[in-house]
Amino acid sequence: MISNWRVTVGGACRSLWGPAPVTYGLIALCCLVFLVGPASGLDPAYGTGDAALAAQRAYFHHWGVVPAELFADSPGAALTPATALFVHGSWVHLLGNMLFLYVFGVMTEERMGRAQFLLFYVGCGYLALLGYAAANADSEQSLVGASGAISAVLGAFLFLFPRARVTSLLPFLFFLPLRFPAWVVLPFWAALQWLAAGRASDGPGVAYLAHLVGFGLGLVFAWVRFGRRTAVSSRGPTPGPPAEKPGRPDRE
């Protein structure tokens, strides 16, 4: 009886997490961190109005990347490019990033393997935030969000699954769902980030440069790690990346 129970529970757990437990675990962790933080608006302990905004600013400053502090010989600041990966500035910011991670992370994790994917995700995310901070070393704006790491996943996905069909919603075509191969959609997305980075102001908004750094890191990593051995066909349609909107803190 006990043996059967263990088999049943083990099978249920494998079914719950599927083939990509790291991707699902990262999504769950980001959602949990957001729900208990002040940006969700669910915890009355953070207050309302100006008190809630002050709590959010303090929270983002503590856990996010502040470039001016990161390069000021502050020991604790060196950890913030890792902690910032799990902090998000708004519901739109969180849901947009988690959709990206879910769509592109599952197949990438399957191809890389669990341990390698986790190290890849955190390492590229850290370096993406570090790259943004180095380019804006005098900025005192807090930078939070997982988009640097998720952009790395997109870059790796492009190399590993270039012919995979991605369903995209294009605003100038009245959001009609159109399917294109990844080698069309993802370079187009990267080009948009490049154009947006050139127009970005120094104030709060989207850290497009972190997207570009992460995307490049992911593409290079996949090329170095898998090289010419990669020849994977499409596994069906996947929804394309939605547009991000600027939030209160700098975010990726």
Side-chain angles (χ1 to χ4, degrees):
M1 177 70 93
I2 293 178
S3 177
N4 291 339
W5 180 81
R6 288 176 177 171
V7 171
T8 301
V9 172
C13 290
R14 286 192 295 272
S15 176
L16 175 64
W17 290 103
V22 173
T23 297
Y24 300 143
L26 289 169
I27 292 173
L29 180 58
C30 287
C31 290
L32 178 61
V33 170
F34 180 78
L35 292 175
V36 300
S40 69
L42 299 178
D43 189 345
Y46 290 111
T48 59
D50 291 340
L53 293 177
Q56 289 181 32
R57 286 192 292 269
Y59 186 81
F60 297 142
H61 186 274
H62 181 75
W63 297 109
V65 177
V66 181
E69 296 181 4
L70 184 61
F71 299 106
D73 296 326
S74 174
L79 295 176
T80 56
T83 58
L85 294 176
F86 304 96
V87 179
H88 290 83
S90 68
W91 283 98
V92 172
H93 188 202
L94 173 72
L95 296 177
N97 273 352
M98 294 306 98
L99 176 62
F100 269 73
L101 181 55
Y102 173 74
V103 168
F104 296 98
V106 172
M107 289 174 62
T108 305
E109 180 184 342
E110 286 187 68
R111 183 70 178 86
M112 288 187 178
R114 298 171 184 177
Q116 185 173 204
F117 179 77
L118 178 60
L119 293 174
F120 161 80
Y121 180 90
V122 175
C124 288
Y126 187 102
L127 292 176
L129 294 180
L130 190 63
Y132 175 88
N136 299 272
D138 297 328
S139 175
E140 296 184 356
Q141 291 287 342
S142 301
L143 176 65
V144 297
S147 294
I150 296 170
S151 296
V153 174
L154 267 62
F157 187 95
L158 173 60
F159 183 84
L160 296 171
F161 309 100
R163 294 183 298 276
R165 291 283 176 171
V166 178
T167 301
S168 302
L169 302 177
L170 303 178
F172 56 85
L173 292 179
F174 305 102
F175 294 97
L176 293 175
L178 301 175
R179 294 179 61 198
F180 299 99
W183 65 265
V184 172
V185 174
L186 294 181
F188 178 73
W189 174 86
L192 291 179
Q193 306 307 300
W194 178 273
L195 293 174
R199 300 194 303 267
S201 65
D202 295 330
V206 180
Y208 295 105
L209 180 59
H211 297 183
L212 291 169
V213 173
F215 187 83
L217 288 171
L219 188 61
V220 170
F221 175 86
W223 175 68
V224 172
R225 174 65 180 83
F226 296 96
R228 294 181 177 274
R229 293 177 298 167
T230 299
V232 182
S233 61
S234 169
R235 297 184 52 178
T238 54
E244 291 187 78
K245 299 179 181 178
R248 183 170 301 277
D250 272 357
R251 73 180 198 277
E252 312 164 71

